Amino acid sequence: MRVITRTCAVALAAFLLGVGALGPALGQQDLRPAFRVRLQFARAGGIFDPAKWQYTSDWFVYPNVFNWLLRWNPGPDPKELQPDLAEKYAMSSDGLTFTFTLRKGVQFHKGFGELTADDVVFSYQRQMDDPKLSFYEAMSNIKSVEALDKYTVRITLKERDGSFLWTIVSYRPGIIVSKKAVQQLGDGFARAPVSTGPFEFVSLTPQGEVIVRAHDAYFRGKPSVKQITFVHIGDENTAAAALRRGDVQVIWTRGNPDVVKLLREDPKIHTVRVIEYYNLFQTQFSPRFKPGQDVRVRRALAHAIDRRVIAKALPGLDEMADVLRPPQLFGGSNDVPTYPYDVNKARALLREAGFPNGFPAVLMVQNREPETTVGEILVSQWKAAGLDVKIDVLDATAAFDRRRKGDFDITISATARPGDPHLFFWDVFHSDAVPPQGSNFFGYRDADALIDAGRITVDEARRVQIYKALQRKLMTDLPIIPLFYRHYELAMTAQVKSMQPGAFSMFWGETILVQR
Amino acid sequence: MIPYITRRVAAAAVQLIVVLVITFGLVRLTPGDPVTAYLSRIQSETSVSKQYVEQVRRQLGVDQPVAVQFGLYVGRVLRGNLGISYTQSEPVSRIITSQLPYTLQLAFAALLIELLIGVPLGVYAATRRGRFADYLATTVATVGYSMPRFWTGMVLILVFAVGWGLFPVIGVGEPGRPLDVLHHLVLPALALGVAGAAYVARMTRSSVLDVLGEDYVRTARAKGVPEPRVLRGHALRNAFIPILSVVGVSFGRALGGSAIIETLFGRVGIGSLLVDAITQRDYTLVQGTILVFAIGVFVINLAVDLGYAWLNPRIRYT
């Protein structure tokens, strides 16, 4: 009996000890789901050192791994800057000095310790010192970056820049990395980055998948997903099929109408329409294309475009652009001349410009949607106005090469510049932004003074006035014809309760809420 | 046989040099260069300085005259160095080595499907010549041959993956889990192999029909040998010799077709790698990948030629 009792006691003790040991393990079991997400829109370039950034597809992953001092608000329209690693900042009265106060206790991934002002100084300084890095040029207006103490950083500019916070601090150049990790890993940092974001980088697999795992010490709280695997799916139809089968949980589409219709009709899928108002598709004219030099011809072509036809052919593109930057964005305005559809007016303007019988022209477009469909519509509408227009469809590189050399008549191009208006207006209209520096393919040079004034003014109200005046001038001179804003369809399986769509190829994994 | 193999390898070396020259020239004849491709990727999103563009051009070595670039490239290849990828900043040989197994997996699986479907279908049609079954098999083969692989793949995805949920749509499976890899391989291999199976079926049918008309088959039948034995023992073994030559062609087609199928099924491999490399004007990667494709086709054709001797001892290599 005693033996039995002793045996039972030992067994019970062992059981309790076992449960005791197992308990924490069971309690720690991570029940959060792991998601697979379509990498937007190309194979991963594999460069995850922000200072060496080259690929949009990689940028898609960045907001999950890295932080900035300030960041754009998650969502399709970045309208405001939020505190990120800096809990507050102050600008000097002359607009040249910015002082950032860092959050305390922010932890780097993989045990690389606490973020300090040294890491911020290092992240900026390395890009200011090395011309081989991607944002060396962008950093050229920074005079100095100093750590005033462990949690305070001061950045001093050479000249005032009203766009500085949007274009540098909260944008691609302003990502903060771990100084210790960069020094320790060297070139290997690009494949094993260390930062402070909601997910820590795990690997870029030989299959081209990028895996990130929840960083539970993230200063905004634990992510609701334990792991995200970014996969490349080249074909839109395949991506939709993979989502419907549950192989992936989130995809972006380029707005292919058939795919969008299919996804919207599937009860297991929910979709969110994302319009990027800062991503403008436009027609540009070559400086060598003689008829395009006459503003009456450009206005005639603008009047000949019936945007309703485009919206009907490509649902999702019904937010047509008849202004350059809509008023819902900072610095946007619709107080500008517009060119509503009026084919008779188009013909009259052509006659006035000395082209009563039109002229021959070739519209060069890139071989992807929606450019090709929109291109075909433009050709038919310009033909109706009396022009002899043909379409030339080329792959992205060939089209870009010819745009750069001015070897085209008219083309459709896209310019995406979220955040501060200076980025867009400089890139498309400044005389310094002719290729290869920017996208001023037309070679327009009559608005430099206003564009430069917009940049160096720091008073926001004054800047708004400058940009209004600038847009009135641009829409009068019409060096480009605005067409439509980029539209994406974000589609998710029922497992994803909600998610903030990212602005400008950003995927905000931390905003995912999971359906329990 | 050794002198024969040596001659074939020497001839292949010349062919590979021709492939190398043509590829080198063709990629440079396409409009744009790696720097343009790079700029086209980023310029809709960010601005770059002239100095930066020049620096990238120097870094990639495309600021040199084409003749110099060619000389440097040939020199490197002769030393077994395929160069550094412009877009991935890694040795081309390492990139290809990491992706090649997935393409070989797919190509061999497709070849297997071609043979497993094509040969029985061809034999069945041949042994029922002029009957309904023959017309049916021939029609099926013609339809299969005419279907574009991309379309076949899409139909397979919609029916077997989305509709019935039997197979995954994308990916290559988890390495180290053979069943998972196989699960991911079925649909792409079918999409790639169906058209080839139709081709093999047509070749098999005509080859078997030829053999069935031979004197030795007639003699066997006259001696009262049962028809299945005539087929197995006399007809098929001889009919397989021309079919074997189809295998070489089929493998080449499967390798070529992998570009479309890998893209469609979101698979990695040197097919989709080549498509991306061409789009991005990654000269070194395009050249390296095509060289590997050419070597693959050469090796399989040499293996086929040597297989002749095994099947038919009358064949002598001179």
Side-chain angles (χ1 to χ4, degrees), chain B residues 63-285:
Chain B
D63 58 331
Q64 311 253 31
V66 173
V68 175
Q69 288 180 46
F70 183 69
L72 290 171
Y73 180 67
V74 171
R76 275 202 308 268
V77 170
L78 289 177
R79 292 194 303 274
N81 176 1
L82 294 178
I84 304 288
S85 157
Y86 296 151
T87 54
Q88 302 190 31
S89 310
E90 275 203 48
V92 168
S93 52
R94 192 188 299 165
I95 297 169
I96 290 176
T97 312
S98 72
Q99 312 265 305
L100 185 62
Y102 300 105
T103 301
L104 289 179
Q105 229 174 46
L106 180 62
F108 279 115
L111 194 61
L112 194 68
I113 285 171
E114 288 180 15
L115 296 176
L116 288 179
I117 297 176
V119 171
L121 194 67
V123 173
Y124 183 77
T127 53
R128 282 156 186 79
R129 184 183 189 184
R131 287 196 254 166
F132 175 72
D134 179 26
Y135 291 128
L136 185 66
T138 310
T139 308
V140 167
T142 309
V143 170
Y145 191 61
S146 316
M147 285 194 301
R149 285 166 171 166
F150 189 84
W151 185 84
T152 311
M154 214 58 237
V155 170
L156 289 172
I157 286 174
L158 289 176
V159 175
F160 293 102
V162 179
W164 296 347
L166 295 176
F167 298 99
V169 178
I170 52 161
V172 291
E174 210 173 300
R177 290 180 54 201
L179 283 179
D180 191 42
V181 170
L182 200 62
H183 196 207
H184 282 81
L185 195 57
V186 174
L187 292 188
L190 269 173
L192 194 55
V194 163
Y199 179 62
V200 171
R202 292 174 62 174
M203 291 300 292
T204 305
R205 178 182 176 275
S206 91
S207 179
V208 171
L209 281 177
D210 282 352
V211 173
L212 286 177
E214 291 289 335
D215 289 347
Y216 56 85
V217 172
R218 201 175 303 125
T219 307
R221 280 173 175 155
K223 282 163 68 183
V225 177
E227 192 60 22
R229 225 177 117 198
V230 170
L231 204 60
R232 274 200 312 274
H234 298 272
L236 288 188
R237 183 159 182 174
N238 291 298
F240 276 153
I241 297 170
I243 294 169
L244 191 63
S245 69
V246 175
V247 170
V249 178
S250 284
F251 185 78
R253 282 159 44 100
L255 273 183
S258 67
I260 293 169
I261 296 301
E262 283 171 359
T263 304
L264 179 65
F265 285 88
R267 288 177 65 88
V268 287
I270 57 169
S272 54
L273 190 70
L274 179 62
V275 173
D276 286 351
I278 291 171
T279 310
Q280 299 176 353
R281 307 292 191 273
D282 190 338
Y283 293 164
T284 47
L285 196 51

Side-chain angles (χ1 to χ4, degrees), chain A residues 248-485:
Chain A
V248 291
Q249 281 68 43
V250 182
I251 67 165
W252 265 253
T253 79
R254 283 191 185 278
N256 177 320
D258 296 332
V259 171
V260 171
K261 187 166 179 281
L262 189 75
L263 293 173
R264 282 183 182 165
E265 285 171 357
D266 191 325
K268 292 178 293 184
I269 304 295
H270 57 117
T271 60
V272 177
R273 185 173 170 228
V274 182
I275 299 167
E276 296 187 337
Y277 289 106
Y278 51 81
N279 193 343
L280 181 74
F281 278 73
Q282 70 224 240
T283 55
Q284 287 226 20
F285 302 90
S286 166
R288 294 190 208 163
F289 180 57
K290 286 277 160 48
Q293 299 304 306
D294 190 323
V295 69
R296 290 167 298 186
V297 168
R298 301 198 294 273
R299 288 175 185 163
L301 293 185
H303 275 302
I305 298 171
D306 185 354
R307 291 172 167 81
R308 288 167 306 179
V309 176
I310 297 175
K312 207 170 172 187
L314 294 163
L317 293 187
D318 34 9
E319 288 271 347
M320 300 309 297
D322 56 0
V323 298
L324 296 167
R325 186 174 171 90
Q328 54 262 58
L329 300 180
F330 172 70
S333 171
N334 54 11
D335 179 20
V336 293
T338 55
Y339 301 88
Y341 175 60
D342 186 342
V343 75
N344 291 325
K345 199 166 182 180
R347 287 202 187 104
L349 280 164
L350 286 173
R351 271 197 304 276
E352 201 184 305
F355 298 104
N357 301 314
F359 49 80
V362 176
L363 174 67
M364 182 183 77
V365 298
Q366 196 175 318
N367 62 348
R368 66 173 188 188
E369 289 295 354
E371 284 96 317
T372 42
T373 302
V374 172
E376 281 159 12
I377 292 170
L378 290 187
V379 165
S380 71
Q381 292 182 346
W382 285 340
K383 274 184 179 167
L387 270 63
D388 173 20
V389 193
K390 292 186 176 65
I391 191 165
D392 191 4
V393 182
L394 299 173
D395 88 304
T397 304
F400 184 81
D401 189 50
R402 284 178 51 185
R403 269 189 216 122
R404 205 166 54 100
K405 293 173 180 162
D407 183 17
F408 66 98
D409 293 343
I410 312 171
T411 186
I412 297 178
S413 68
T415 311
R417 294 291 187 277
D420 196 88
H422 175 72
L423 286 172
F424 170 74
F425 290 118
W426 185 89
D427 189 82
V428 183
F429 302 108
H430 199 281
S431 62
D432 286 345
V434 292
Q437 286 99 318
S439 309
N440 182 2
F441 301 117
F442 184 57
Y444 183 71
R445 52 187 65 245
D446 295 340
D448 286 3
L450 280 169
I451 295 169
D452 292 339
R455 176 171 175 263
I456 60 168
T457 304
V458 290
D459 177 70
E460 287 206 350
R462 177 78 193 111
R463 290 189 85 204
V464 168
Q465 292 310 313
I466 291 170
Y467 285 120
K468 274 189 174 175
L470 172 64
Q471 284 165 87
R472 274 196 296 274
K473 172 159 184 55
L474 293 173
M475 284 303 286
T476 305
D477 293 354
L478 209 65
I480 69 164
I481 303 172
L483 287 174
F484 55 89
Y485 308 113

